Amino acid sequence: MSFGHIIITPNGLKEDYPISVFDIAQKHGLKQVIIADTSMGGFLQAYNRAQALQMQLIFGYKVRCMDNIDVKKDESLATVHKIIIFAKNTQGYKDLIKISSLASTTGFYYKPNIDCVYLKKLWTDNLLLVIPFYDSFIYMNALEGITSEIIVTGK
């Protein structure tokens, strides 16, 4: 059983102990569940569970973004930051599939990757971009950049 399966499916370890995010949301009267995953594989299961509970699912695809996915060199890995792309609606889900497919084929280098050039070509108004602070370009530039400068310059 995968971790994703555990957090989506009902019937936790004990009857009164919710294990799924949907059980937790239902227990507290919430009508929306937001999930970001590194693959599109869990979407259908999450969507079906949300429908069964009459909840709105807001689904996001978390992917690595690098300078140029056509350059497959280890130096490219130094440019990686993570982004989350959320689908606003059904068409947005279809747009996420296109992005995920490209990242998993053309952009694959150790893991799925996308770059801004391809992302701009595939972008629609049905998507929403989120930049997570940790392990994102903000983290890499603001924290890692400062640390690197201190190490290199001694200042």
Side-chain angles (χ1 to χ4, degrees):
M1 183 178 292
S2 72
F3 179 71
H5 180 74
I6 291 170
I7 66 166
I8 293 173
T9 53
N11 305 325
L13 302 175
K14 299 178 185 175
E15 195 170 305
D16 61 340
Y17 180 74
I19 194 167
S20 117
V21 293
F22 291 101
D23 290 343
I24 294 167
Q26 186 178 36
K27 182 177 180 177
H28 295 285
L30 303 175
K31 298 295 180 192
Q32 293 179 328
V33 172
I34 302 170
I35 296 175
D37 200 351
T38 56
S39 81
M40 297 298 292
F43 172 81
L44 187 58
Q45 185 180 15
Y47 177 79
N48 288 337
R49 184 75 179 125
Q51 292 292 52
L53 297 173
Q54 297 180 342
M55 290 183 180
Q56 178 188 14
L57 172 65
I58 301 170
F59 190 85
Y61 173 56
K62 185 176 181 181
V63 64
R64 296 176 356 151
C65 188
M66 58 178 30
D67 283 349
N68 185 342
I69 62 173
D70 294 321
V71 178
K72 308 285 197 278
K73 294 182 178 180
D74 285 347
E75 293 82 28
S76 301
L77 297 176
T79 69
V80 168
H81 62 277
K82 292 183 181 155
I83 60 174
I84 304 173
I85 307 163
F86 283 96
K88 292 182 182 179
N89 50 39
T90 303
Q91 183 57 49
Y93 165 74
K94 294 174 184 177
D95 298 339
L96 278 181
I97 293 292
K98 291 176 186 173
I99 292 168
S100 171
S101 295
L102 182 91
S104 297
T105 56
T106 304
F108 193 86
Y109 186 59
Y110 295 107
K111 295 181 180 182
N113 297 282
I114 193 76
D115 64 27
C116 291
V117 173
Y118 282 105
L119 192 57
K120 189 173 181 179
K121 289 178 186 177
L122 296 171
W123 195 260
T124 71
D125 289 337
N126 301 304
L127 301 169
L128 178 67
L129 180 66
V130 175
I131 308 295
F133 174 76
Y134 187 78
D135 204 18
S136 71
F137 78 94
I138 295 171
Y139 171 80
M140 295 301 290
N141 289 335
L143 300 179
E144 291 291 322
I146 291 170
T147 305
S148 298
E149 184 180 332
I150 291 170
I151 292 170
V152 172
T153 63
K155 296 180 182 178

